[in-house]
Structures are given as C-alpha cells and as structure tokens.
Amino acid sequence: MHAGGPRELVLRCTAERLRIEVSDGNPEPPRRRRSAGDGAGGHGLIVLQRLSRSWGTAPSGDPRGGKTVWVEVPCPPDPWGPWKAWGAQGPPTARGRSEARSGAS
C-alpha cells in the first residue's frame, strides 16, 4: 500500500450518515496518482469524491504521527422503519392477510 497500510478504521453511523475514518502513518495529504494504465490503481480519490457527501483529512491523533482521511456518505432510509413498532409480524392488517392465506390451504 502506498501509505504503509492503515493503522485504524473507524465507522460512525447515525440515521442520516455513515462516516468512515481511516488513519495511517503517512503525514502527507492524499493526492491523485496517475493510473498505471492497467486500471489497477490511482482511482481512490475519484471514487471518494463521487460517492461522498463530504470528505477531508486531519492530522492523526496517534503520537507516531500520520493522518486520518474521512468520508461521509448518506445512509439510505430504513426500509423496516414503518414495521418496527409491530415487531416481526408486521401490522395487524398484514397479519390478517397472512393468516387468511395460510388458513385457506
């Protein structure tokens, strides 16, 4: 790896966003690298910029030095949100339809 490998990976999730933090021992900020021509590298910052809501770098809190690169991406809506209050079986109307089908067999 060009930065000597990550020292730490931190994931922070809220209902609105996922923040990913990767710390390494290299104090240099990330920069675009030329692709090797075989498509095998140099795309990390492009992907990060296109997929993220925001991103940045900060000095690492590690006494050995280094940096932390962070990125924030929006979290998709919770598809089970409306059903959570009813538990695994869903709301009473869904249970009634399910029971009617199983009783008709």
Coordinates of all heavy atoms in Angstrom, one line a residue:
M1 N 0.8 -1.2 0.0 CA 0.0 0.0 0.0 C 0.9 1.2 0.0 O 1.9 1.3 0.6 CB -0.9 0.0 1.2 CG -2.0 -1.0 1.2 SD -3.2 -0.6 2.5 CE -4.3 -1.9 2.1
H2 N 0.4 2.3 -0.7 CA 1.2 3.5 -0.8 C 1.4 4.2 0.5 O 2.4 5.0 0.6 CB 0.7 4.4 -1.9 CG -0.8 4.7 -1.7 ND1 -1.2 5.7 -0.9 CD2 -1.9 4.1 -2.2 CE1 -2.5 5.8 -1.0 NE2 -3.0 4.8 -1.7
A3 N 0.6 4.1 1.5 CA 0.7 4.8 2.7 C 1.2 3.9 3.8 O 1.2 4.3 5.0 CB -0.6 5.4 3.1
G4 N 1.6 2.7 3.5 CA 2.1 1.8 4.5 C 1.0 1.0 5.2 O 1.3 0.3 6.1
G5 N -0.2 1.1 4.7 CA -1.3 0.4 5.3 C -2.0 1.2 6.4 O -1.4 2.0 7.1
P6 N -3.3 0.9 6.6 CA -4.0 1.6 7.7 C -3.6 1.2 9.1 O -3.3 0.0 9.3 CB -5.5 1.3 7.3 CG -5.4 0.0 6.6 CD -4.1 0.0 5.9
R7 N -3.7 2.1 10.0 CA -3.4 1.8 11.4 C -4.8 1.6 12.1 O -4.9 0.9 13.1 CB -2.7 2.9 12.1 CG -1.3 3.1 11.8 CD -0.7 4.1 12.7 NE 0.7 4.3 12.3 CZ 1.4 5.4 12.6 NH1 0.8 6.4 13.3 NH2 2.7 5.5 12.3
E8 N -5.8 2.3 11.6 CA -7.1 2.3 12.3 C -8.2 2.6 11.3 O -8.1 3.4 10.4 CB -7.1 3.4 13.4 CG -8.4 3.4 14.2 CD -8.3 4.4 15.3 OE1 -7.8 5.5 15.1 OE2 -8.8 4.1 16.4
L9 N -9.3 1.9 11.5 CA -10.5 2.1 10.7 C -11.6 2.4 11.7 O -11.8 1.6 12.6 CB -10.9 0.9 9.9 CG -12.2 0.9 9.2 CD1 -12.3 2.0 8.2 CD2 -12.5 -0.4 8.6
V10 N -12.3 3.5 11.6 CA -13.4 3.8 12.5 C -14.7 4.1 11.6 O -14.6 4.8 10.6 CB -13.1 5.1 13.3 CG1 -14.3 5.5 14.2 CG2 -11.9 4.9 14.2
L11 N -15.8 3.5 12.0 CA -17.1 3.7 11.4 C -18.0 4.4 12.4 O -18.2 3.9 13.5 CB -17.7 2.4 10.9 CG -16.8 1.6 10.0 CD1 -17.5 0.2 9.7 CD2 -16.6 2.3 8.7
R12 N -18.6 5.5 12.0 CA -19.6 6.2 12.9 C -20.9 6.3 12.1 O -20.9 6.9 11.0 CB -19.1 7.5 13.3 CG -17.8 7.5 14.0 CD -17.3 8.9 14.3 NE -15.9 9.0 14.7 CZ -15.4 8.7 15.9 NH1 -16.2 8.4 16.8 NH2 -14.1 8.8 16.1
C13 N -22.0 5.8 12.6 CA -23.2 5.8 11.9 C -24.3 6.5 12.7 O -24.5 6.2 13.9 CB -23.6 4.3 11.6 SG -25.0 4.2 10.5
T14 N -25.0 7.3 12.0 CA -26.2 7.9 12.6 C -27.4 7.6 11.6 O -27.2 7.0 10.6 CB -26.1 9.5 12.7 OG1 -26.0 10.1 11.4 CG2 -24.9 9.9 13.5
A15 N -28.6 8.1 11.9 CA -29.7 7.8 11.0 C -29.5 8.5 9.6 O -30.0 8.1 8.6 CB -31.0 8.3 11.6
E16 N -28.7 9.6 9.6 CA -28.5 10.4 8.4 C -27.3 10.0 7.6 O -27.2 10.2 6.4 CB -28.5 11.9 8.7 CG -29.8 12.4 9.3 CD -29.9 12.2 10.8 OE1 -28.8 12.2 11.5 OE2 -31.0 12.0 11.3
R17 N -26.2 9.6 8.3 CA -24.9 9.5 7.6 C -24.1 8.4 8.2 O -24.2 8.0 9.3 CB -24.2 10.8 7.6 CG -23.7 11.1 9.0 CD -22.8 12.4 8.9 NE -22.5 12.8 10.3 CZ -21.5 12.4 11.0 NH1 -20.8 11.4 10.6 NH2 -21.3 12.8 12.2
L18 N -23.2 7.9 7.3 CA -22.1 7.0 7.7 C -20.8 7.7 7.5 O -20.5 8.2 6.4 CB -22.1 5.7 6.9 CG -20.9 4.8 7.1 CD1 -20.9 4.2 8.5 CD2 -20.9 3.7 6.1
R19 N -20.0 7.8 8.6 CA -18.7 8.5 8.5 C -17.6 7.4 8.6 O -17.7 6.6 9.6 CB -18.5 9.5 9.6 CG -17.2 10.2 9.5 CD -17.0 11.3 10.6 NE -15.7 11.8 10.7 CZ -15.4 13.1 10.4 NH1 -16.4 13.9 10.0 NH2 -14.2 13.5 10.5
I20 N -16.7 7.3 7.7 CA -15.7 6.3 7.6 C -14.4 7.1 7.8 O -14.1 8.1 7.1 CB -15.6 5.6 6.3 CG1 -17.0 4.9 6.0 CG2 -14.5 4.5 6.3 CD1 -17.2 4.6 4.6
E21 N -13.5 6.7 8.8 CA -12.3 7.3 9.1 C -11.2 6.2 9.0 O -11.3 5.2 9.6 CB -12.2 7.9 10.5 CG -13.3 9.0 10.7 CD -13.3 9.5 12.1 OE1 -12.5 9.0 13.0 OE2 -14.2 10.3 12.4
V22 N -10.1 6.5 8.2 CA -9.0 5.6 8.0 C -7.8 6.4 8.4 O -7.5 7.4 7.8 CB -8.9 5.1 6.6 CG1 -7.7 4.1 6.5 CG2 -10.2 4.3 6.2
S23 N -7.0 5.9 9.3 CA -5.8 6.6 9.8 C -4.6 5.7 9.3 O -4.6 4.5 9.4 CB -5.7 6.7 11.3 OG -6.8 7.5 11.7
D24 N -3.5 6.4 8.9 CA -2.3 5.7 8.5 C -1.1 6.5 9.1 O -1.3 7.6 9.7 CB -2.2 5.5 7.0 CG -2.1 6.8 6.2 OD1 -1.5 7.8 6.7 OD2 -2.7 6.8 5.1
G25 N 0.1 6.1 8.9 CA 1.3 6.7 9.4 C 1.9 7.7 8.5 O 2.9 8.3 8.9
N26 N 1.4 8.0 7.3 CA 1.9 9.0 6.4 C 1.3 10.3 6.7 O 0.1 10.5 6.5 CB 1.7 8.5 5.0 CG 2.3 9.4 3.9 OD1 2.7 10.5 4.2 ND2 2.4 8.9 2.7
P27 N 2.1 11.3 7.0 CA 1.5 12.7 7.3 C 1.1 13.4 6.0 O 0.4 14.4 6.1 CB 2.6 13.4 8.0 CG 3.9 12.7 7.5 CD 3.5 11.3 7.3
E28 N 1.5 13.0 4.8 CA 1.2 13.7 3.6 C -0.3 13.6 3.3 O -0.8 12.5 3.4 CB 2.0 13.1 2.4 CG 3.5 13.3 2.6 CD 3.9 14.8 2.6 OE1 3.3 15.6 1.7 OE2 4.7 15.2 3.4
P29 N -0.9 14.7 2.8 CA -2.3 14.6 2.5 C -2.5 13.7 1.2 O -1.5 13.6 0.4 CB -2.7 16.0 2.2 CG -1.4 16.7 2.0 CD -0.4 16.0 2.7
P30 N -3.6 13.1 1.0 CA -3.8 12.3 -0.2 C -3.8 13.2 -1.4 O -4.2 14.3 -1.4 CB -5.2 11.6 0.1 CG -5.9 12.5 1.0 CD -4.8 13.2 1.9
R31 N -3.4 12.6 -2.5 CA -3.4 13.3 -3.8 C -3.6 12.3 -4.9 O -3.4 11.1 -4.7 CB -2.0 14.0 -4.0 CG -0.8 13.2 -4.0 CD 0.4 14.0 -4.3 NE 1.6 13.2 -4.1 CZ 2.1 12.2 -4.8 NH1 1.4 11.7 -5.7 NH2 3.2 11.6 -4.5
R32 N -4.2 12.8 -5.9 CA -4.5 11.9 -7.1 C -3.2 11.4 -7.6 O -2.2 12.1 -7.8 CB -5.2 12.7 -8.2 CG -6.7 12.8 -7.9 CD -7.4 13.3 -9.2 NE -8.8 13.4 -8.9 CZ -9.6 13.9 -9.7 NH1 -9.2 14.3 -10.9 NH2 -10.9 13.9 -9.4
R33 N -3.2 10.1 -7.9 CA -2.0 9.5 -8.5 C -2.3 9.1 -10.0 O -3.5 8.9 -10.3 CB -1.6 8.2 -7.8 CG -1.2 8.5 -6.4 CD -0.7 7.2 -5.7 NE -1.7 6.1 -5.8 CZ -1.4 4.8 -5.9 NH1 -0.2 4.4 -5.9 NH2 -2.4 3.9 -6.0
R34 N -1.4 9.1 -10.8 CA -1.6 8.6 -12.1 C -1.9 7.2 -12.1 O -1.3 6.4 -11.4 CB -0.3 8.8 -13.0 CG -0.1 10.3 -13.3 CD 1.0 10.2 -14.4 NE 0.5 10.7 -15.6 CZ 1.1 11.5 -16.4 NH1 2.4 11.9 -16.1 NH2 0.6 12.0 -17.5
S35 N -2.9 6.8 -12.9 CA -3.2 5.4 -13.1 C -2.1 4.7 -13.8 O -1.4 5.3 -14.7 CB -4.5 5.3 -13.9 OG -4.8 3.9 -14.1
A36 N -1.8 3.5 -13.4 CA -0.7 2.7 -14.0 C -1.0 2.4 -15.5 O -0.2 1.8 -16.2 CB -0.5 1.5 -13.2
G37 N -2.2 2.7 -16.0 CA -2.6 2.3 -17.3 C -3.3 1.0 -17.4 O -3.9 0.7 -18.4
D38 N -3.1 0.2 -16.4 CA -3.7 -1.1 -16.4 C -5.0 -1.1 -15.6 O -5.7 -2.1 -15.5 CB -2.8 -2.2 -15.9 CG -2.4 -2.0 -14.5 OD1 -2.8 -1.0 -13.9 OD2 -1.6 -2.8 -13.9
G39 N -5.4 0.1 -15.1 CA -6.7 0.2 -14.4 C -6.6 -0.3 -13.0 O -7.6 -0.4 -12.3
A40 N -5.4 -0.6 -12.5 CA -5.3 -1.3 -11.2 C -5.0 -0.3 -10.0 O -4.9 -0.7 -8.9 CB -4.1 -2.3 -11.2
G41 N -5.0 1.0 -10.3 CA -4.7 1.9 -9.2 C -4.9 3.3 -9.5 O -5.1 3.6 -10.7
G42 N -4.8 4.2 -8.5 CA -5.0 5.6 -8.8 C -6.4 6.1 -8.8 O -6.6 7.2 -9.3
H43 N -7.3 5.3 -8.4 CA -8.7 5.7 -8.5 C -9.4 6.0 -7.2 O -10.6 6.4 -7.1 CB -9.6 4.6 -9.2 CG -9.0 4.2 -10.5 ND1 -9.0 5.0 -11.6 CD2 -8.4 3.1 -10.9 CE1 -8.5 4.4 -12.6 NE2 -8.0 3.2 -12.2
G44 N -8.7 5.9 -6.1 CA -9.3 6.0 -4.7 C -9.9 7.4 -4.5 O -11.1 7.5 -4.0
L45 N -9.3 8.5 -4.8 CA -9.8 9.8 -4.6 C -11.0 10.1 -5.5 O -11.9 10.8 -5.1 CB -8.8 10.9 -4.7 CG -7.8 11.0 -3.5 CD1 -6.8 12.1 -3.7 CD2 -8.5 11.2 -2.2
I46 N -10.9 9.6 -6.7 CA -12.0 9.8 -7.6 C -13.3 9.1 -7.1 O -14.4 9.7 -7.1 CB -11.7 9.3 -9.0 CG1 -10.6 10.1 -9.6 CG2 -12.9 9.3 -10.0 CD1 -10.0 9.5 -10.9
V47 N -13.2 7.9 -6.6 CA -14.3 7.2 -6.1 C -14.8 7.9 -4.8 O -16.0 8.1 -4.7 CB -13.9 5.7 -5.7 CG1 -15.0 5.0 -5.0 CG2 -13.6 5.0 -7.0
L48 N -13.9 8.3 -4.0 CA -14.3 9.0 -2.7 C -15.0 10.3 -3.0 O -16.1 10.5 -2.5 CB -13.0 9.3 -2.0 CG -13.1 9.8 -0.6 CD1 -12.1 9.1 0.3 CD2 -12.8 11.3 -0.6
Q49 N -14.6 11.1 -4.0 CA -15.2 12.3 -4.3 C -16.6 12.1 -5.0 O -17.5 12.9 -4.7 CB -14.4 13.2 -5.3 CG -13.1 13.7 -4.6 CD -12.1 14.3 -5.6 OE1 -12.1 14.0 -6.8 NE2 -11.2 15.1 -5.1
R50 N -16.8 11.1 -5.7 CA -18.0 10.9 -6.4 C -19.1 10.3 -5.5 O -20.3 10.5 -5.7 CB -17.8 10.0 -7.6 CG -17.1 10.7 -8.7 CD -17.0 10.0 -10.0 NE -16.3 10.7 -11.0 CZ -15.9 10.3 -12.2 NH1 -16.2 9.0 -12.5 NH2 -15.3 11.0 -13.0
L51 N -18.7 9.5 -4.6 CA -19.7 8.8 -3.7 C -20.0 9.5 -2.4 O -21.0 9.2 -1.8 CB -19.2 7.4 -3.4 CG -19.1 6.4 -4.5 CD1 -18.5 5.1 -4.0 CD2 -20.4 6.2 -5.3
S52 N -19.2 10.5 -2.1 CA -19.4 11.0 -0.7 C -20.2 12.3 -0.7 O -20.3 13.0 -1.7 CB -18.0 11.3 -0.1 OG -17.3 12.4 -0.8
R53 N -20.7 12.6 0.4 CA -21.4 13.9 0.7 C -20.3 14.9 1.0 O -20.3 16.0 0.5 CB -22.3 13.7 2.0 CG -22.9 15.0 2.4 CD -23.7 14.8 3.7 NE -24.8 13.9 3.5 CZ -25.6 13.4 4.5 NH1 -25.3 13.7 5.7 NH2 -26.6 12.6 4.2
S54 N -19.3 14.5 1.8 CA -18.1 15.3 2.0 C -17.0 14.4 2.5 O -17.2 13.3 2.9 CB -18.4 16.4 3.1 OG -18.8 15.7 4.3
W55 N -15.7 15.0 2.4 CA -14.6 14.2 2.8 C -13.5 15.2 3.2 O -13.5 16.4 2.8 CB -14.1 13.2 1.8 CG -13.5 13.8 0.6 CD1 -14.1 14.4 -0.5 CD2 -12.1 14.0 0.3 NE1 -13.2 14.8 -1.4 CE2 -12.0 14.6 -0.9 CE3 -11.0 13.7 1.0 CZ2 -10.7 14.9 -1.5 CZ3 -9.7 14.0 0.5 CH2 -9.6 14.6 -0.7
G56 N -12.5 14.7 3.9 CA -11.3 15.6 4.2 C -10.3 14.8 4.9 O -10.3 13.6 5.1
T57 N -9.3 15.5 5.4 CA -8.2 14.9 6.1 C -7.9 15.7 7.4 O -8.2 16.9 7.4 CB -6.9 14.8 5.3 OG1 -6.4 16.2 5.0 CG2 -7.1 14.1 4.0
A58 N -7.2 15.1 8.3 CA -6.8 15.8 9.6 C -5.6 15.0 10.1 O -5.4 13.9 9.8 CB -8.0 15.7 10.6
P59 N -4.8 15.7 10.8 CA -3.6 15.0 11.4 C -4.2 13.9 12.3 O -5.2 14.1 13.0 CB -2.9 16.1 12.3 CG -3.4 17.4 11.7 CD -4.8 17.2 11.1
S60 N -3.5 12.8 12.3 CA -3.9 11.7 13.2 C -3.6 12.0 14.7 O -2.7 12.8 15.0 CB -3.0 10.5 12.8 OG -3.2 9.4 13.7
G61 N -4.4 11.5 15.5 CA -4.2 11.7 17.0 C -3.2 10.7 17.5 O -2.8 10.8 18.7
D62 N -2.6 9.9 16.7 CA -1.6 8.9 17.1 C -0.3 9.7 17.4 O 0.2 10.5 16.6 CB -1.4 7.9 15.9 CG -0.6 6.7 16.4 OD1 0.5 6.9 16.9 OD2 -1.0 5.6 16.1
P63 N 0.4 9.4 18.5 CA 1.6 10.1 18.8 C 2.7 9.8 17.8 O 3.7 10.5 17.7 CB 2.0 9.5 20.2 CG 1.1 8.4 20.5 CD 0.0 8.5 19.6
R64 N 2.6 8.7 17.0 CA 3.6 8.4 16.0 C 3.4 9.3 14.8 O 4.2 9.2 13.8 CB 3.5 6.9 15.6 CG 3.9 6.0 16.8 CD 3.6 4.6 16.4 NE 2.1 4.4 16.3 CZ 1.6 3.2 16.0 NH1 2.3 2.2 15.7 NH2 0.2 3.1 16.0
G65 N 2.4 10.1 14.7 CA 2.1 10.9 13.6 C 1.2 10.3 12.6 O 0.6 9.2 12.8
G66 N 1.0 10.9 11.4 CA 0.2 10.4 10.4 C -1.0 11.2 10.1 O -1.1 12.4 10.6
K67 N -2.0 10.7 9.4 CA -3.2 11.4 9.1 C -4.4 10.5 9.2 O -4.3 9.3 9.2 CB -3.1 12.0 7.7 CG -3.1 10.9 6.6 CD -3.1 11.5 5.2 CE -2.9 10.5 4.2 NZ -1.7 9.7 4.2
T68 N -5.5 11.2 9.2 CA -6.8 10.5 9.1 C -7.6 11.0 7.9 O -7.7 12.3 7.8 CB -7.7 10.7 10.4 OG1 -6.9 10.1 11.5 CG2 -9.0 10.0 10.3
V69 N -8.0 10.2 7.0 CA -8.8 10.6 5.9 C -10.2 10.1 6.3 O -10.5 9.0 6.7 CB -8.4 9.9 4.6 CG1 -9.3 10.3 3.4 CG2 -6.9 10.3 4.3
W70 N -11.2 11.0 6.1 CA -12.6 10.7 6.5 C -13.5 11.0 5.3 O -13.2 11.8 4.5 CB -13.0 11.5 7.7 CG -12.9 13.0 7.6 CD1 -11.9 13.8 8.0 CD2 -13.9 13.9 7.1 NE1 -12.1 15.1 7.7 CE2 -13.4 15.2 7.1 CE3 -15.2 13.7 6.5 CZ2 -14.1 16.3 6.7 CZ3 -15.9 14.8 6.1 CH2 -15.3 16.1 6.2
V71 N -14.6 10.3 5.3 CA -15.6 10.5 4.2 C -16.9 10.3 4.8 O -17.1 9.4 5.8 CB -15.3 9.5 3.0 CG1 -15.4 8.1 3.5 CG2 -16.3 9.7 1.9
E72 N -17.9 11.0 4.4 CA -19.3 10.9 4.9 C -20.2 10.6 3.7 O -20.1 11.3 2.7 CB -19.8 12.2 5.6 CG -19.0 12.4 6.9 CD -19.5 13.6 7.6 OE1 -20.3 14.4 7.0 OE2 -19.1 13.8 8.8
V73 N -21.0 9.5 3.9 CA -22.0 9.2 2.8 C -23.4 9.1 3.5 O -23.5 8.8 4.6 CB -21.6 7.8 2.2 CG1 -20.3 7.9 1.4 CG2 -21.6 6.7 3.2
P74 N -24.4 9.5 2.7 CA -25.7 9.4 3.3 C -26.2 8.0 3.5 O -25.8 7.1 2.7 CB -26.6 10.1 2.2 CG -25.8 10.2 1.0 CD -24.3 10.0 1.3
C75 N -26.9 7.8 4.5 CA -27.5 6.5 4.8 C -28.8 6.4 4.1 O -29.6 7.3 4.1 CB -27.7 6.3 6.3 SG -26.2 6.0 7.2
P76 N -29.1 5.2 3.5 CA -30.4 5.1 2.9 C -31.5 5.0 4.0 O -31.2 4.7 5.1 CB -30.3 3.7 2.1 CG -29.2 3.0 2.8 CD -28.3 4.0 3.4
P77 N -32.7 5.3 3.6 CA -33.8 5.2 4.6 C -33.9 3.8 5.1 O -33.7 2.9 4.3 CB -35.1 5.7 3.8 CG -34.6 5.9 2.4 CD -33.2 5.8 2.3
D78 N -34.4 3.6 6.3 CA -34.5 2.3 6.8 C -35.8 1.7 6.3 O -36.9 2.1 6.5 CB -34.7 2.4 8.4 CG -34.8 1.1 9.1 OD1 -34.9 0.0 8.4 OD2 -34.8 1.1 10.3
P79 N -35.6 0.6 5.4 CA -36.8 0.0 4.8 C -37.8 -0.6 5.8 O -38.9 -0.9 5.5 CB -36.3 -1.0 3.8 CG -34.9 -1.4 4.4 CD -34.4 -0.1 5.1
W80 N -37.3 -1.0 7.0 CA -38.1 -1.6 8.0 C -38.7 -0.6 9.0 O -39.4 -1.0 9.9 CB -37.3 -2.7 8.8 CG -36.8 -3.7 7.8 CD1 -35.5 -3.9 7.4 CD2 -37.6 -4.7 7.2 NE1 -35.5 -4.9 6.5 CE2 -36.7 -5.5 6.4 CE3 -38.9 -5.1 7.3 CZ2 -37.2 -6.6 5.7 CZ3 -39.4 -6.2 6.5 CH2 -38.5 -6.9 5.7
G81 N -38.4 0.7 8.9 CA -38.8 1.7 9.8 C -40.3 1.6 10.1 O -40.7 1.6 11.3
P82 N -41.2 1.6 9.2 CA -42.6 1.6 9.5 C -43.1 0.3 10.2 O -44.1 0.3 10.8 CB -43.3 1.7 8.1 CG -42.3 2.2 7.2 CD -41.0 1.8 7.7
W83 N -42.3 -0.8 10.0 CA -42.7 -2.1 10.6 C -42.2 -2.3 12.0 O -42.6 -3.2 12.7 CB -42.3 -3.2 9.7 CG -42.8 -3.1 8.3 CD1 -42.3 -2.5 7.2 CD2 -44.1 -3.6 7.9 NE1 -43.1 -2.6 6.2 CE2 -44.2 -3.3 6.5 CE3 -45.1 -4.4 8.5 CZ2 -45.3 -3.6 5.8 CZ3 -46.2 -4.7 7.7 CH2 -46.3 -4.4 6.4
K84 N -41.2 -1.6 12.4 CA -40.5 -1.8 13.7 C -41.5 -1.8 14.9 O -41.3 -2.6 15.8 CB -39.4 -0.8 13.9 CG -38.2 -1.1 13.1 CD -37.1 -0.2 13.4 CE -35.9 -0.5 12.6 NZ -34.8 0.5 12.7
A85 N -42.4 -0.9 14.9 CA -43.3 -0.8 16.0 C -44.2 -2.1 16.2 O -44.7 -2.3 17.3 CB -44.3 0.4 15.9
W86 N -44.4 -2.8 15.1 CA -45.2 -4.0 15.1 C -44.5 -5.3 15.4 O -45.0 -6.4 15.5 CB -46.0 -4.1 13.8 CG -46.9 -2.9 13.6 CD1 -46.6 -1.9 12.8 CD2 -48.1 -2.6 14.3 NE1 -47.6 -1.0 12.9 CE2 -48.6 -1.4 13.8 CE3 -48.9 -3.3 15.2 CZ2 -49.7 -0.8 14.2 CZ3 -50.1 -2.7 15.7 CH2 -50.5 -1.5 15.2
G87 N -43.2 -5.2 15.4 CA -42.4 -6.4 15.6 C -42.2 -7.2 14.3 O -42.5 -6.7 13.2
A88 N -41.8 -8.4 14.3 CA -41.5 -9.2 13.2 C -42.7 -9.6 12.3 O -42.6 -9.8 11.1 CB -40.8 -10.5 13.6
Q89 N -43.9 -9.6 12.9 CA -45.1 -10.0 12.2 C -45.7 -8.9 11.3 O -46.6 -9.1 10.5 CB -46.2 -10.5 13.1 CG -45.7 -11.8 13.8 CD -46.7 -12.3 14.8 OE1 -47.8 -11.8 14.8 NE2 -46.4 -13.2 15.6
G90 N -45.3 -7.6 11.5 CA -45.9 -6.5 10.8 C -47.2 -6.0 11.5 O -47.6 -6.5 12.5
P91 N -47.9 -5.1 10.8 CA -49.1 -4.5 11.4 C -50.2 -5.5 11.4 O -50.2 -6.5 10.6 CB -49.4 -3.3 10.6 CG -48.7 -3.6 9.3 CD -47.5 -4.4 9.6
P92 N -51.3 -5.3 12.2 CA -52.4 -6.2 12.2 C -53.0 -6.5 10.8 O -53.4 -7.7 10.6 CB -53.4 -5.5 13.1 CG -52.7 -4.6 13.9 CD -51.5 -4.2 13.1
T93 N -53.1 -5.6 9.9 CA -53.7 -5.9 8.6 C -52.8 -6.8 7.8 O -53.3 -7.7 7.2 CB -53.8 -4.6 7.8 OG1 -52.6 -3.9 7.7 CG2 -54.9 -3.6 8.4
A94 N -51.5 -6.7 8.0 CA -50.6 -7.7 7.3 C -50.7 -9.1 7.9 O -50.7 -10.1 7.2 CB -49.2 -7.2 7.3
R95 N -50.9 -9.1 9.2 CA -51.0 -10.4 9.9 C -52.3 -11.1 9.5 O -52.4 -12.3 9.2 CB -51.0 -10.2 11.4 CG -49.6 -10.0 11.9 CD -49.5 -10.2 13.4 NE -50.5 -9.3 14.2 CZ -50.1 -8.2 14.8 NH1 -48.9 -7.7 14.7 NH2 -51.0 -7.5 15.4
G96 N -53.4 -10.3 9.3 CA -54.7 -10.8 8.9 C -54.6 -11.4 7.5 O -55.1 -12.5 7.3
R97 N -54.0 -10.8 6.6 CA -53.9 -11.3 5.2 C -53.0 -12.6 5.3 O -53.4 -13.6 4.6 CB -53.2 -10.3 4.3 CG -54.2 -9.2 3.9 CD -53.6 -8.4 2.7 NE -52.3 -7.8 3.1 CZ -52.2 -6.6 3.5 NH1 -53.2 -5.8 3.6 NH2 -51.0 -6.1 3.7
S98 N -52.0 -12.6 6.0 CA -51.1 -13.8 6.1 C -51.9 -15.0 6.7 O -51.8 -16.1 6.2 CB -49.9 -13.4 6.9 OG -49.1 -14.6 7.1
E99 N -52.6 -14.7 7.8 CA -53.4 -15.8 8.4 C -54.5 -16.3 7.5 O -54.7 -17.5 7.4 CB -53.9 -15.3 9.7 CG -52.9 -15.1 10.8 CD -53.3 -14.2 11.9 OE1 -54.5 -13.9 12.0 OE2 -52.5 -14.0 12.8
A100 N -55.1 -15.4 6.7 CA -56.2 -15.8 5.8 C -55.6 -16.7 4.7 O -56.2 -17.7 4.4 CB -56.8 -14.6 5.2
R101 N -54.4 -16.4 4.2 CA -53.8 -17.2 3.2 C -53.4 -18.6 3.8 O -53.7 -19.6 3.1 CB -52.6 -16.5 2.7 CG -52.8 -15.7 1.4 CD -51.5 -15.4 0.8 NE -50.6 -14.8 1.8 CZ -50.1 -13.6 1.8 NH1 -50.3 -12.8 0.8 NH2 -49.3 -13.2 2.8
S102 N -52.8 -18.6 4.9 CA -52.4 -19.9 5.5 C -53.6 -20.7 5.9 O -53.5 -21.9 5.8 CB -51.5 -19.6 6.7 OG -52.1 -19.0 7.7
G103 N -54.7 -20.1 6.3 CA -55.9 -20.8 6.7 C -56.6 -21.4 5.5 O -57.4 -22.4 5.6
A104 N -56.4 -20.8 4.3 CA -57.1 -21.3 3.1 C -56.5 -22.5 2.5 O -57.0 -23.1 1.6 CB -57.2 -20.2 2.1
S105 N -55.3 -22.9 2.9 CA -54.6 -24.0 2.3 C -55.3 -25.3 2.5 O -55.8 -25.7 3.5 CB -53.2 -24.1 2.8 OG -52.5 -22.9 2.6

